[in-house]
């Protein structure tokens, strides 16, 4: 029996890990013509070099089916940025030619609450001057911008991201111009081959510890066995994994039956309870996909009683409960959730005021 249970749990965990991700489609962004004010620019961009670690796309958005859609700049990143900057930084004999290397450019979006989606654009650029056979790196800058949208406004995100790319470029080029004018640039001679090598950057320094996170929805079914009761509960759990310590919102519907041993000798023959509970949990990650959780909730409901003469009565229930346990949550966007733990509860039952026990749960993440 134990071997069979172990096999079942192993298969469920493997299924959760192995749930396939949806494939990517693509969409292309064309940077709209625009200019920003530049007073007598002392430089122009002679060349734009795509030095990103992953040149396949600049990030993703999500379509109406919540599928990831890869984003590319049209016709390609170097040409798109070159055309854009040339509108404001016009080549002239008195301006210095600058080589611009794009080390990192990424568009991201995640649902960060039940009603909000956060879109982010990130960039890192390096500026160079060429001196005969030598190459001088004169400035490096990284920048990011976030914008929050209601979930009903997802269709506006892609257009906003196009505008945000232009905003990132304008910000970085303006800052470079200011630093150049005040002669605060810190120059460094580098190997000219650096322009031919992809960067190793896969995250900005300024966004470390500022993850967008992702909103997760869990539906779980729990079976509980307590000192006085046994029953079931269906719960919805919603949370963002933006922080290491997660505090999700939870609400549940459940039914429990008082055990025969508890009602033996009393005036009642059957005692059932129907409750709605709400509260919050704290999840602390122990290992990848495995979390310790502590729950505090408030159950409200009705206790249905039937005495030995078949007379029915009702009792209003309210209380406070806590739970401690472990939960397996897969990384995949769709997968099985498994959990177990112990619980304690105080409530206004006619049969008992305290109960405790253990529970097992299974559910789905979506």
């Amino acid at each position: 029996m134990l071997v069979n249970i172990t096999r079942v749990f192993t298969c469920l965990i493997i299924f959760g890990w192995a749930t396939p991700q949806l494939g990517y489609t693509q969409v292309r962004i064309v940077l709209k013509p625009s200019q920003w004010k530049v007073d007598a620019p002392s430089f122009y961009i002679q060349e734009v070099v795509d030095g990103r670690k992953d040149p396949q796309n600049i990030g993703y958005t999500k379509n109406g089916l919540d599928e990831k859609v890869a984003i590319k700049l049209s016709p390609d990143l170097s040409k798109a940025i070159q055309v854009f900057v040339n509108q404001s930084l016009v080549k002239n004999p008195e301006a210095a030619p600058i080589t611009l290397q794009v080390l990192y450019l990424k568009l991201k979006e995640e649902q960060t609450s039940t009603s909000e989606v956060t879109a982010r654009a990130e960039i890192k650029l390096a500026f160079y001057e060429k001196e005969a056979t030598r190459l001088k790196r004169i400035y490096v800058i990284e920048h990011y911008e976030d914008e929050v949208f209601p979930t009903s406004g997802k269709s506006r995100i892609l257009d906003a991201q196009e505008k945000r790319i232009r905003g990132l470029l304008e910000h970085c080029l303006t800052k470079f111009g200011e630093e150049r004018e005040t002669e605060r640039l810190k120059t460094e001679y580098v190997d000219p081959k650096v322009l031919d090598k992809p960067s190793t950057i896969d995250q900005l320094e300024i966004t470390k510890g500022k993850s967008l996170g992702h909103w997760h929805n869990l539906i779980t079914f729990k079976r509980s066995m307590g000192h006085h009761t046994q029953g079931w509960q269906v719960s919805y759990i919603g949370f963002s994994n933006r922080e290491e310590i997660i505090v999700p919102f939870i609400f549940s519907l459940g039914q429990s039956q008082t055990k025969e041993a508890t009602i033996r000798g009393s005036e009642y023959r059957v005692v059932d309870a129907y409750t709605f509970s709400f509260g919050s949990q704290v999840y602390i990650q122990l290992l990848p996909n495995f979390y310790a959780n502590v729950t505090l909730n408030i159950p409200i409901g009705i206790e249905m009683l039937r005495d030995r003469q078949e007379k029915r009565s009702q009792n209003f229930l309210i209380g406070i409960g806590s739970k401690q346990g472990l939960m397996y949550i897969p990384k995949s966007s769709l997968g099985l959730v498994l959990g177990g733990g112990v619980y304690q509860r105080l409530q206004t039952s006619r049969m008992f005021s305290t109960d405790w026990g253990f529970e097992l749960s299974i559910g789905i993440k979506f």
Side-chain angles (χ1 to χ4, degrees), residues 166-300:
R166 291 186 280 120
L168 292 177
L169 291 168
E170 179 181 343
H171 171 86
C172 293
L173 290 162
T174 300
K175 290 293 291 184
F176 169 69
E178 292 172 354
E179 295 292 307
R180 195 170 190 278
E181 288 298 318
T182 55
E183 299 182 349
R184 290 181 296 188
L185 298 177
K186 296 180 180 180
T187 63
E188 175 189 10
Y189 285 98
V190 295
D191 187 341
K193 293 181 180 179
V194 72
L195 295 177
D196 301 321
K197 297 178 181 178
S199 78
T200 58
I201 298 168
D202 52 21
Q203 184 180 5
L204 298 185
E205 289 293 328
I206 58 174
T207 58
K208 287 183 177 179
K210 298 179 181 179
S211 169
L212 281 180
H214 179 70
W215 186 258
H216 297 283
N217 298 291
L218 308 180
I219 298 292
T220 62
F221 176 82
K222 299 176 184 178
R223 189 76 171 90
S224 62
M225 294 291 293
H227 180 66
H228 293 298
T229 63
Q230 59 185 12
W232 57 265
Q233 192 175 66
V234 176
S235 301
Y236 166 78
I237 304 169
F239 67 91
S240 171
N241 62 352
R242 186 167 187 167
E243 307 293 340
E244 291 185 5
I245 297 179
I246 301 167
V247 183
F249 176 79
I250 178 172
F251 65 85
S252 309
L253 294 172
Q255 185 269 341
S256 63
Q257 185 176 44
T258 303
K259 291 182 175 180
E260 177 66 27
T262 299
I263 61 177
R264 186 181 298 123
S266 73
E267 62 181 295
Y268 298 105
R269 188 171 69 84
V270 178
V271 180
D272 293 332
Y274 301 87
T275 58
F276 166 78
S277 62
F278 58 92
S280 190
Q281 291 184 320
V282 175
Y283 285 5
I284 301 174
Q285 188 170 20
L286 302 177
L287 296 169
N289 302 342
F290 286 91
Y291 298 82
N293 65 77
V294 178
T295 305
L296 185 65
N297 59 57
I298 298 175
I300 299 174

Side-chain angles (χ1 to χ4, degrees), residues 10-218:
T10 301
C11 290
L12 290 175
I13 291 174
I14 291 173
F15 176 80
W17 261 316
T19 302
Q21 299 294 312
L22 295 173
Y24 279 73
T25 54
Q26 292 184 358
V27 64
R28 289 186 174 272
I29 285 181
V30 178
L31 294 181
K32 297 177 181 178
S34 66
Q35 290 181 302
W36 71 94
K37 186 177 180 181
V38 182
D39 295 325
S42 61
F43 69 96
Y44 68 94
I45 302 302
Q46 183 181 47
E47 181 184 12
V48 177
V49 177
D50 186 356
R52 294 173 297 150
K53 181 179 180 180
D54 179 13
Q56 297 301 315
N57 58 67
I58 60 170
Y60 65 88
T61 185
K62 291 186 178 181
N63 62 19
L65 299 176
D66 205 37
E67 297 170 326
K68 286 187 175 181
V69 179
I71 304 173
K72 289 190 173 185
L73 277 179
S74 181
D76 59 51
L77 183 137
S78 297
K79 291 179 181 178
I81 293 178
Q82 184 77 68
V83 170
F84 173 74
V85 298
N86 284 352
Q87 296 172 78
S88 299
L89 300 173
V90 181
K91 179 180 179 180
N92 67 77
E94 297 180 358
I98 299 295
T99 298
L100 178 66
Q101 185 182 33
V102 181
L103 300 173
Y104 185 82
L105 175 60
K106 217 66 170 174
L107 303 181
K108 304 174 182 179
E109 66 178 75
E110 291 290 353
Q111 183 173 347
T112 46
S113 76
T114 54
S115 59
E116 292 180 339
V117 176
T118 301
R120 172 177 290 178
E122 305 175 341
I123 198 168
K124 185 167 187 174
L125 302 175
F127 296 77
Y128 300 89
E129 284 184 344
K130 293 182 178 180
E131 297 179 354
T133 59
R134 306 178 74 188
L135 183 67
K136 184 167 60 175
R137 183 164 55 211
I138 55 178
Y139 191 61
V140 178
I141 184 173
E142 55 183 42
H143 184 57
Y144 79 98
E145 294 180 2
D146 287 348
E147 186 173 354
V148 178
F149 297 83
T151 51
S152 59
K154 286 184 178 181
S155 59
R156 305 199 309 268
I157 292 178
L158 190 60
D159 284 342
Q161 291 287 53
E162 182 275 332
K163 181 179 179 181
R164 197 163 291 107
I165 293 173
R166 291 186 280 120
L168 292 177
L169 291 168
E170 179 181 343
H171 171 86
C172 293
L173 290 162
T174 300
K175 290 293 291 184
F176 169 69
E178 292 172 354
E179 295 292 307
R180 195 170 190 278
E181 288 298 318
T182 55
E183 299 182 349
R184 290 181 296 188
L185 298 177
K186 296 180 180 180
T187 63
E188 175 189 10
Y189 285 98
V190 295
D191 187 341
K193 293 181 180 179
V194 72
L195 295 177
D196 301 321
K197 297 178 181 178
S199 78
T200 58
I201 298 168
D202 52 21
Q203 184 180 5
L204 298 185
E205 289 293 328
I206 58 174
T207 58
K208 287 183 177 179
K210 298 179 181 179
S211 169
L212 281 180
H214 179 70
W215 186 258
H216 297 283
N217 298 291
L218 308 180

